């Protein structure tokens, strides 16, 4: 069974600082990988996804993530955080197989941005 | 194009009461999903559907039933609500092999 671990429950950074959110997954082959963001009281918005190909993936809002097979990781990065990035971030893994996949989510990392 | 909508947005139930949450999507997606989100637990899949008339169990299906009578709608039912079902419920839909689009959520409290 697939699983996702987000080791950091809560991270605080200063506005303008760089950010890296960690995500480790467990799956027997190369999975589909996703990062979603959830602002307070809102639904989930997809930041980026990895299906195959280039292991460095660019997403919306200046985010990027790198798939590292050897480390079973898919860490999310942003070079300069903005106050509006304060939200909860979820990493998710999906099992490829035919045309159907189910997502397994990590427990989330809450990001606080200090002015 | 409204995307994924959920009805109602908020609901308070007493233990033992029943209710149905409605999810609707206007993107002609084949797949639809129901998740629940609890603090510190992330999102967990309750049930999902890969097409009209078909449903399948997810990670935490107990206490819930679903129906997909129309392609655009996916209903989540609680026959006898319990306080443990207090949660935020999210519906999502997708095309095969594509990203999931999420609704805004339904906040359910069971007292």
């Amino acid at each position: 069974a697939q699983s996702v671990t987000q080791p950091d429950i809560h991270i605080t950074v200063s506005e303008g600082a760089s950010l890296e959110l960690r995500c480790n997954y467990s799956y027997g082959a190369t999975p589909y990988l996703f990062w979603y963001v959830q602002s307070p009281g809102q639904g989930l918005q997809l930041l980026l996804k990895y299906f195959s190909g280039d292991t460095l993936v660019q997403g919306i809002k200046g985010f990027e993530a790198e798939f590292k097979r050897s480390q079973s990781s898919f860490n999310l990065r942003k070079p300069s955080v903005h106050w509006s990035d304060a939200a909860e971030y979820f990493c998710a893994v999906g099992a490829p197989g035919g045309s159907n996949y189910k997502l397994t989510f990590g427990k989330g990392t809450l990001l606080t941005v200090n002015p | 194009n409204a995307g994924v909508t959920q009805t109602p947005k908020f609901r308070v139930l007493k233990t033992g009461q029943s209710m149905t949450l409605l999810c609707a999507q206007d993107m002609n997606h084949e797949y639809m999903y129901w998740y629940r989100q609890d603090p510190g637990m992330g999102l967990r899949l309750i049930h999902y559907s890969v097409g009209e008339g078909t449903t399948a169990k997810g990670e935490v299906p107990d206490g819930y039933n679903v129906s997909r009578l129309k392609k655009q709608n996916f209903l989540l039912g609680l026959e006898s609500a319990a306080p443990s079902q207090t949660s935020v419920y999210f519906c999502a839909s997708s095309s095969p092999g594509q990203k999931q689009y999420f609704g805004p959520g339904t906040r359910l409290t069971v007292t």
Side-chain angles (χ1 to χ4, degrees):
Chain A
Q2 62 215 47
S3 65
V4 178
T5 301
Q6 292 180 247
D8 304 304
I9 296 174
H10 187 192
I11 284 183
T12 300
V13 299
S14 298
E15 191 169 15
S18 64
L19 172 69
E20 182 170 29
L21 301 182
R22 296 184 290 164
C23 172
N24 293 97
Y25 69 89
S26 173
Y27 184 68
T30 300
Y32 294 158
L33 294 162
F34 307 81
W35 275 100
Y36 283 87
V37 61
Q38 184 180 32
S39 296
Q42 302 297 312
L44 278 75
Q45 181 183 22
L46 181 69
L47 287 175
L48 48 79
K49 63 182 186 291
Y50 172 80
F51 281 4
S52 65
D54 193 346
T55 57
L56 185 61
V57 180
Q58 301 298 320
I60 62 172
K61 304 184 179 186
F63 286 93
E64 67 177 26
E66 186 172 11
F67 169 57
K68 292 187 177 180
R69 185 193 308 274
S70 61
Q71 299 177 17
S72 297
S73 69
F74 189 57
N75 293 349
L76 182 71
R77 301 193 295 250
K78 187 170 184 178
S80 178
V81 171
H82 188 263
W83 64 266
S84 61
D85 293 325
E88 191 158 21
Y89 292 79
F90 293 93
C91 181
V93 59
S99 59
N100 180 31
Y101 65 91
K102 296 176 289 181
L103 294 183
T104 298
F105 285 83
K107 295 182 178 181
T109 297
L110 181 64
L111 175 66
T112 298
V113 181
N114 288 334
Chain B
N1 188 333
V4 180
T5 58
Q6 294 182 230
T7 308
K9 289 185 169 53
F10 302 94
R11 185 71 187 268
V12 178
L13 288 179
K14 295 185 177 180
T15 299
Q17 287 184 320
S18 64
M19 77 163 294
T20 300
L21 280 65
L22 171 63
C23 175
Q25 53 95 3
D26 61 3
M27 296 173 281
N28 201 35
H29 286 164
E30 290 292 329
Y31 300 157
M32 296 188 75
Y33 312 80
W34 274 108
Y35 295 89
R36 61 177 288 172
Q37 183 180 30
D38 303 291
M41 298 295 291
L43 277 80
R44 293 178 292 170
L45 183 65
I46 304 172
H47 287 279
Y48 66 101
S49 168
V50 300
E52 183 178 324
T54 71
T55 63
K57 294 180 180 180
E59 182 184 353
V60 288
D62 294 342
Y64 305 95
N65 57 75
V66 289
S67 64
R68 183 100 181 268
L69 299 180
K70 295 183 179 181
K71 185 177 183 179
Q72 63 268 34
N73 295 338
F74 195 30
L75 278 62
L76 178 71
L78 287 73
E79 290 185 347
S80 180
S84 61
Q85 294 178 303
T86 294
S87 187
V88 181
Y89 292 86
F90 287 98
C91 176
S93 70
S94 72
S95 293
Q98 300 300 313
K99 73 173 187 178
Q100 294 182 18
Y101 292 81
F102 284 81
T106 295
R107 186 173 296 275
L108 175 65
T109 301
V110 182
T111 61

